Amino acid sequence: MAGANNAVLMRRELLTRLAKLYNQGELKLKIDRIPLELRPKDAEPSRCCVYKDRAMLRYKLMALLGFNIRDEQDELTPLSDYVDRAFARTEIEQEPLTVVDEVCNACVKTNYVVTSLCRGCLARACMTSCNKDAIRFENGQAHIDHSKCVNCGMCFKSCPFHAIVYIPVPCEEACPVGAISKREDGTEQIDYNKCIYCGRCIVSCPFGAVMEKSHIMDVFRAFSSGRKVVAMVAPAIAGQFKAPLSKILGAIRDLGFDDVIEVAKGADETTANEAREFMHKMAEGQKFMTTSCCPSYTTAVNKHLPELKPFVSDTGTPMYYTARLARAMYPDAVLVFVGPCLAKRYEAFVDPNTDLMLSFEEVGAMFVARGIDVAGVASTELDRSIDSTSRGYPVSAGVMTAVATKVGSAVEIRPMVINGINKQSLREMKMLPKTCTANMVEVMACEGGCVNGCNVIANPKIATRQVDEVVKQAE
Amino acid sequence: MGKKLTVKICTGTLCYVMGGADLQLLDEQLSPELLSRVDIMGSPCLDCCNHDDSAQAPFVKVGERVVSGATISKVIDAIKDELSKQ
């Protein structure tokens, strides 16, 4: 999503160190040293002191080991104990996020603050406009009583000197559905009755306090279990490294997977079924149909847009069909989906055949830990039977293009593409059953498509170019 | 005007994962004047990372100078500096 800021890079550094120690067989022995190595005594702390920094890194590692930070019973439990517990667990959890309280708690409770630019004017419009009597004057300057303020913003609007500033809480601001909010103590909590797994909170938090509970330990466990382990790789991977797709897939195989299957294969089935369903529904007189492959969108429909439900395609996602195919080929294997976002992590839990999920970022860290340079590995053969349009799914309008190509001239398609879920597009979608003039609507939660998912590595612009190139080559 | 200054952005996997991916858009951030004086290219692993210290990635080579922990602004500064020596 956003460029790689220091919070993102720190997460990758931690992932890489964790994977490196695992590869060396020293994870249990040395994991508790990682925070000390990254913040030695003489280092410049990013928060108040190196000890606070180390505590934050410890909790971040706990999330990367796959644990809920709130489940901590004893603060003295070393990370090495969590390593044991991670290897002992046999199931992943449904809800994929955890807020690292130690890292959070830094944001304001009241969004409006009076700065020293306040002139203490005669008008005092801030005071007269406040309906909650929250503003008083001290030494000729306005002050906001945080116990009374309800964040209405009237004072902010009324100050002629712009002396009152708005300070956002980034995660709350970024969440399109109001699913993240403060507890009494100021830390953030996620309401899973509302969360649509878009991952904006992860990307927006400047401290990196919202984290995915990684499955990386569960994948390591699978590698040592004696069972076959199969990677199912989302087509957005084509844009993630500076190397041809055939090499990227080869590098993933080199991580220890017994087979690597392209999820574009399942997209073939999604396209065929969705095209058939579309023609059927139009013949039945249905007003329009929307796509169903973005799990963040379908979750948004289930939790927030019930009026849209009858219009969502019943067709399965590319992950669903790919995993069904993989399960038929490898009945006893551990099936690992490799994808770009939190929503797919959630879908991996819900999907009947998929067992685990690795993000692009996690795969990237595993490459680095193993010293794999993607451009230098042996290529694998790409599956030539896959339709070129299926490789175009991860870019906005890609699914529409695939379905429209399949439908051809059988039915006239009037397309509408909703490129990104945000507060405004949610309002528009709510109105679709009444206002929609298109008959086919594609919705992707991330602006630009899956290439802009919350845990991609490459800049989405570059990734889009590379995906387009792969589509062209496959034509 | 002399020979163009070569700017090699490492696209090795380590550099790419550790923030190098964003350097791919360097050309969009350069002024037309600077852009006309440099040759920007992606490069296979520059082999600067083999010191077991990934914190130093990503790497960019501006002429003969190695920029470590490279960001777009750091690279632009290095380009200006190298050009001023020409």
Side-chain angles (χ1 to χ4, degrees):
Chain A
M1 242 175 216
N5 59 44
N6 290 328
V8 173
L9 293 179
M10 179 52 85
R11 187 174 64 221
R12 292 181 191 168
E13 181 70 35
L14 289 171
L15 268 169
T16 305
R17 284 177 183 250
L18 190 153
K20 213 179 249 177
L21 287 180
Y22 173 78
N23 295 340
Q24 292 162 353
E26 295 183 317
L27 182 57
K28 214 188 140 182
L29 195 67
K30 293 191 176 165
I31 189 169
D32 285 286
R33 291 203 166 271
I34 295 178
L36 278 74
E37 282 167 5
L38 284 169
R39 284 290 183 275
K41 256 186 182 163
D42 52 356
E44 196 182 318
S46 78
R47 297 285 277 271
C48 57
C49 60
V50 288
Y51 307 103
K52 168 87 173 174
D53 281 10
R54 288 176 188 173
M56 296 195 309
L57 294 172
R58 189 187 99 85
Y59 284 114
K60 286 187 177 187
L61 281 164
M62 195 175 151
L64 296 180
L65 290 170
F67 292 95
N68 264 319
I69 304 307
R70 286 247 154 187
D71 289 345
E72 180 187 56
Q73 301 282 329
D74 179 0
E75 282 184 62
L76 279 179
T77 306
L79 289 168
S80 56
D81 272 24
Y82 287 107
V83 170
D84 282 339
R85 288 185 213 177
F87 279 130
R89 74 176 164 232
T90 52
E91 274 170 15
I92 52 168
E93 288 177 45
Q94 174 170 348
E95 300 304 350
L97 287 170
T98 183
V99 180
V100 188
D101 294 338
E102 196 75 20
V103 179
C104 177
N105 214 351
C107 290
V108 289
K109 276 188 195 169
T110 307
N111 291 127
Y112 295 93
V113 173
V114 184
T115 68
S116 58
L117 298 175
C118 171
R119 309 259 192 108
C121 64
L122 175 64
R124 299 193 171 175
C126 55
M127 204 167 160
T128 54
S129 68
C130 178
N131 290 323
K132 298 292 171 187
D133 196 24
I135 294 191
R136 63 196 150 72
F137 276 75
E138 268 173 33
N139 302 325
Q141 290 220 313
H143 289 270
I144 297 173
D145 181 343
H146 290 188
S147 66
K148 290 181 180 169
C149 175
V150 292
N151 289 324
C152 72
M154 290 307 286
C155 57
F156 166 79
K157 284 184 198 136
S158 65
C159 175
F161 296 114
H162 294 208
I164 299 175
V165 293
Y166 173 73
I167 303 175
V169 176
C171 62
E172 293 180 12
E173 195 101 343
C175 178
V177 290
I180 190 161
S181 61
K182 283 189 181 303
R183 292 190 189 84
E184 268 304 295
D185 69 0
T187 57
E188 296 289 332
Q189 61 185 341
I190 293 159
D191 180 351
Y192 288 109
N193 291 317
K194 292 181 180 170
C195 178
I196 59 170
Y197 311 110
C198 66
R200 303 277 158 78
C201 51
I202 305 175
V203 178
S204 65
C205 176
F207 291 94
V210 187
M211 292 187 72
E212 289 178 69
K213 286 177 276 181
S214 173
H215 301 169
I216 194 166
M217 293 297 287
D218 307 83
V219 173
F220 287 147
R221 182 173 181 272
F223 281 145
S224 58
S225 69
R227 289 167 71 189
K228 277 197 166 19
V229 188
V230 175
M232 306 180 294
V233 185
I237 196 85
Q240 293 304 302
F241 300 93
K242 269 283 169 231
L245 178 59
S246 57
K247 287 200 183 248
I248 299 176
L249 298 178
I252 293 176
R253 184 189 295 265
D254 286 356
L255 288 174
F257 289 97
D258 294 284
D259 196 3
V260 178
I261 302 175
E262 289 185 73
V263 173
K265 184 83 188 158
D268 277 357
E269 257 184 274
T270 299
T271 307
N273 291 343
E274 204 149 288
R276 197 179 311 123
E277 186 186 358
F278 172 75
M279 290 189 278
H280 181 70
K281 288 198 165 150
M282 290 306 108
E284 274 185 335
Q286 185 172 306
K287 205 171 164 190
F288 66 96
M289 187 180 95
T290 84
T291 52
S292 60
C293 42
C294 172
S296 185
Y297 162 62
T298 50
T299 306
V301 171
N302 287 333
K303 293 182 181 176
H304 302 280
L305 307 163
E307 51 278 270
L308 255 186
K309 214 165 178 172
F311 299 96
V312 179
S313 158
D314 296 322
T315 298
T317 67
M319 181 204 290
Y320 170 76
Y321 293 118
T322 308
R324 200 170 65 170
L325 197 86
R327 185 55 76 210
M329 286 163 71
Y330 303 101
D332 301 317
V334 179
L335 303 182
V336 183
F337 181 84
V338 177
C341 67
L342 177 72
K344 284 288 173 192
R345 191 180 295 281
Y346 173 74
E347 191 192 343
F349 176 85
V350 180
D351 185 82
N353 291 309
T354 305
D355 297 302
L356 299 170
M357 190 273 189
L358 282 178
S359 69
F360 290 163
E361 186 176 271
E362 287 161 344
V363 164
M366 286 166 83
F367 287 155
V368 174
R370 286 281 290 270
I372 295 175
D373 187 45
V374 180
V377 306
S379 301
T380 54
E381 195 64 35
L382 292 187
D383 186 343
R384 297 286 162 202
S385 71
I386 294 173
D387 197 276
S388 64
T389 57
S390 295
R391 300 193 188 280
Y393 262 55
V395 173
S396 175
V399 185
M400 177 68 79
T401 306
V403 175
T405 308
K406 194 84 185 170
V407 170
S409 56
V411 179
E412 187 213 353
I413 291 198
R414 297 187 307 278
M416 173 182 188
V417 172
I418 294 178
N419 182 13
I421 292 183
N422 50 45
K423 284 172 188 143
Q424 196 195 332
S425 68
L426 277 170
R427 276 195 297 273
E428 285 167 15
M429 282 190 267
K430 221 172 176 56
M431 300 303 292
L432 279 183
K434 286 186 187 141
T435 60
C436 192
T437 53
N439 60 2
M440 174 84 192
V441 182
E442 180 201 275
V443 189
M444 290 203 195
C446 296
E447 205 183 320
C450 313
V451 286
N452 193 19
C454 63
N455 44 40
V456 298
I457 293 167
N459 182 292
K461 237 177 168 173
I462 305 280
T464 302
R465 267 183 231 159
Q466 281 180 222
V467 168
D468 288 346
E469 194 56 38
V470 168
V471 173
K472 240 185 246 159
Q473 280 167 11
E475 271 168 5
Chain B
M1 199 186 296
K3 210 167 125 262
K4 281 193 179 183
L5 180 67
T6 306
V7 179
K8 284 186 180 171
I9 302 169
C10 182
T11 61
T13 301
L14 191 151
C15 282
Y16 215 66
V17 171
M18 294 305 173
D22 291 311
L23 301 173
Q24 297 298 311
L25 295 174
L26 174 68
D27 55 346
E28 294 180 8
Q29 301 292 324
L30 286 181
S31 63
E33 197 264 329
L34 280 184
L35 195 58
S36 69
R37 299 179 65 187
V38 292
D39 256 336
I40 301 174
M41 53 184 82
S43 160
C45 181
L46 290 167
D47 203 34
C48 301
C49 53
N50 280 339
H51 314 290
D52 200 39
D53 192 2
S54 52
Q56 290 298 299
F59 295 96
V60 174
K61 249 178 142 175
V62 178
E64 288 307 309
R65 182 202 300 208
V66 175
V67 182
S68 64
T71 59
I72 295 224
S73 64
K74 255 182 153 177
V75 175
I76 292 178
D77 286 348
I79 290 173
K80 284 181 184 162
D81 199 40
E82 287 296 315
L83 285 176
S84 71
K85 289 183 199 163
Q86 280 186 355

